[in-house]
Amino acid sequence: MRVKTLTLAAVLSLPLPALAQIDPAALRDAALKDEIAWDITEGLTTEIGPRLAGTEAEARARAWSVKKLAALGFSNVRNEPFRMKTWIRGEETLEVLAPFPQPLRLTALGNSGATPATGLRGEIVYFKDIAALHAVPDGSLRGKIAFVSHDMTRTQDGSQYGAFGAVRRSGPAVAARKGAAAILIRSVGTDYHRNPHAGGTGFPEGVTPIPAAALSIPDAEQLQRILKRGQPVSVKLTLTPRQVGMTESGNIIAEVPGSDPAAGLVVVACHLDSWDLGTGAFDDGAGCGIVTAAAKRVMDAGEPRRTIRILWAGAEEVGVFGGKAYFEAHKGEKHALAAESDFGADRIWRVDFKLPESARAVGDRVAAVLSPLGISRGRDPASGGADVAALVASGVAGIDLQQDGSRYFDLHHTPDDTLDKIDPSQLRQNVAAWTAMLAVVANAPEEIGATQ
């Protein structure tokens, strides 16, 4: 059967009353010269720098954000605070004592327990992956220091992070149950710089936190080579992080008011906090710049049908506390659609949808207007990103603008996450894609209701 296809011009010229007020293609093309996203990212990383959740630095970032969003002309700019348990970093060193004395580079994982101030000495027990760690009997590692590796490799979509990230997310708790005095992991990343990758871990109730740290990939491989010499390997590990109790974090919200409140909110999200080793440019200052620049371009083009709500979420890195707080505070409101930018600043190559049947044509128009940017339509359902995942899981429609993640895990949670890693031309392509998507979705006359 021959299927009739519409050209981009034909799709965008369909007789849709709301779209007659705005030309998504024209806004898209103008956004390829955008400077707003860079200005936001540069300002945040320069004037604030690292923004560890719950700390004074994150509080300064919230104050900076409120001022910036108000200056850009958004409405209803506000901080919605919440309380959270806060962990901060201390001293962190590792020395091989025998058989080949030398220092190795590492960093504590978020929520790591602490060694004595004088350090912890122990013998290394090596595990190829987390499955091998799971396989040993409980209590069998008493007094030992577990060292767990993995085989994560570089991919465009970053899909291996879900599987291999388990070594960081749950490995320390598993090692604690096995009796280990501490755990070292190969950093969950793909770079070969001597930069360890930070990131959070968790200890379930009843499991006492043990010292837990990530070795840079070159140092993890060095330790593996030492172990292959066949002699017992002893080390001295010093980690002195601490829990400082309950402190304040918060979500920053700003809006572009729409003409039809009954049509529902379009939430575009990023997260404001970052890990403390770099300045949080890729993760996720750029995301905040991208979604905000796009929302401003749609706002400046005229009043949209749907209210666009910008969410700069707090405390994402340490447990998605901001996303959870937003969902609890706002789940009773009508959300038409949610989307998030939190995968760096390299070009968008694919768009995925989770839309109700009533909004099939909305997805078609979005895909058509993104095509000239080199963005293809994917087949996977959109998940929305961490800070809006609860909304999408509850039935809110979602769109994922998938960025090229080929180098994302070179920078993710490392000291190298700095402004110089952002390519301005690729950043502008992101803004163009988000602007076009928002122009279509915020003005679509179709009902964008609950998905299945």
Side-chain angles (χ1 to χ4, degrees):
M1 182 176 69
R2 185 178 179 183
V3 179
K4 182 179 180 181
T5 59
L6 294 176
T7 65
L8 171 62
V11 170
L12 297 179
S13 65
L14 291 174
L16 301 172
L19 287 179
Q21 302 172 16
I22 191 169
D23 182 352
L27 288 181
R28 175 200 66 207
D29 294 346
L32 289 170
K33 298 180 180 179
D34 180 75
E35 298 293 340
I36 300 169
W38 178 269
D39 177 66
I40 290 170
T41 311
E42 189 275 341
L44 184 61
T45 56
T46 301
E47 297 175 27
I48 305 298
R51 306 172 296 281
L52 187 63
T55 66
E56 181 272 340
E58 194 200 29
R60 284 190 288 111
R62 290 195 300 279
W64 184 95
S65 303
V66 168
K67 183 177 179 181
K68 185 68 173 180
L69 289 164
L72 287 169
F74 293 106
S75 300
N76 305 321
V77 181
R78 60 197 186 271
N79 172 36
E80 295 189 350
F82 56 86
R83 305 281 290 175
M84 57 167 283
K85 290 182 179 179
T86 300
W87 174 96
I88 60 173
R89 193 177 304 283
E91 182 183 356
E92 39 195 41
T93 62
L94 179 68
E95 301 172 60
V96 176
L97 301 176
F100 311 120
Q102 57 189 280
L104 300 178
R105 295 289 300 276
L106 84 176
T107 193
L109 299 178
N111 294 317
S112 167
T115 67
T118 55
L120 169 70
R121 294 170 184 254
E123 183 179 336
I124 295 290
V125 180
Y126 173 67
F127 298 93
K128 178 184 177 182
D129 51 34
I130 194 169
L133 178 63
H134 273 290
V136 300
D138 287 359
S140 63
L141 298 180
R142 197 159 309 280
K144 307 293 187 181
I145 297 176
F147 168 41
V148 188
S149 191
H150 58 83
D151 295 319
M152 180 176 172
T153 57
R154 189 183 309 276
T155 59
Q156 185 178 33
D157 64 1
S159 55
Q160 291 196 0
Y161 182 57
F164 293 108
V167 72
R168 189 200 79 213
R169 293 188 296 267
S170 61
V174 175
R177 287 194 292 267
K178 304 302 179 180
I183 181 173
L184 307 174
I185 69 166
R186 177 188 174 111
S187 280
V188 182
T190 52
D191 68 301
Y192 273 83
H193 293 162
R194 221 173 170 190
N195 288 327
H197 293 236
T201 192
F203 295 92
E205 188 173 349
V207 178
T208 301
I210 61 173
L215 287 158
S216 78
I217 291 174
D219 288 277
E221 294 190 352
Q222 176 78 336
L223 184 54
Q224 285 180 255
R225 286 190 292 269
I226 293 172
L227 286 159
K228 284 182 179 179
R229 296 303 198 261
Q231 302 176 57
V233 176
S234 62
V235 301
K236 178 184 176 183
L237 173 66
T238 305
L239 297 178
T240 61
R242 58 195 176 95
Q243 297 282 352
V244 297
M246 299 296 289
T247 67
E248 186 172 286
S249 183
N251 292 326
I252 303 302
I253 289 176
E255 293 175 345
V256 179
S259 62
D260 184 3
L265 299 161
V266 176
V267 175
V268 292
C270 60
H271 66 83
L272 180 59
D273 66 307
S274 75
W275 283 105
D276 51 332
L277 303 182
T279 59
F282 240 54
D283 186 18
D284 184 32
C288 292
I290 290 163
V291 301
T292 305
K296 178 167 173 56
R297 287 182 169 275
V298 175
M299 175 177 70
D300 290 349
E303 183 182 49
R305 180 187 175 208
R306 292 179 176 85
T307 293
I308 300 169
R309 177 175 287 170
I310 300 166
L311 168 63
W312 290 15
E316 186 271 350
E317 295 288 9
V318 296
V320 198
F321 295 125
K324 294 171 184 174
Y326 178 84
F327 182 73
E328 289 303 315
H330 298 280
K331 61 186 177 183
E333 299 175 60
K334 181 178 179 181
H335 291 82
L337 185 134
E340 182 165 9
S341 180
D342 181 19
F343 198 47
D346 286 347
R347 66 181 299 110
I348 293 167
W349 64 285
R350 193 181 81 200
V351 57
D352 294 324
F353 298 95
K354 183 185 177 187
L355 297 170
E357 186 61 31
S358 62
R360 177 189 291 269
V362 178
D364 292 343
R365 294 198 300 278
V366 170
V369 77
L370 294 181
S371 180
L373 296 174
I375 300 169
S376 62
R377 186 170 193 160
R379 297 181 179 181
D380 296 335
S383 62
D387 295 298
V388 296
L391 284 172
V392 176
S394 74
V396 174
I399 294 178
D400 291 344
L401 295 172
Q402 303 283 11
Q403 293 155 301
D404 187 332
S406 299
R407 67 181 184 129
Y408 182 73
F409 291 105
D410 290 354
L411 307 172
H412 180 249
H413 299 178
T414 75
D416 262 352
D417 183 1
T418 50
L419 184 69
D420 55 291
K421 309 307 185 303
I422 293 176
D423 178 343
S425 65
Q426 295 192 66
L427 184 69
R428 293 187 188 103
Q429 188 260 9
N430 274 257
V431 176
W434 275 84
T435 300
M437 183 275 287
L438 268 183
V440 172
V441 170
N443 289 288
E446 294 92 347
E447 175 70 15
I448 306 179
T451 61
Q452 297 300 317

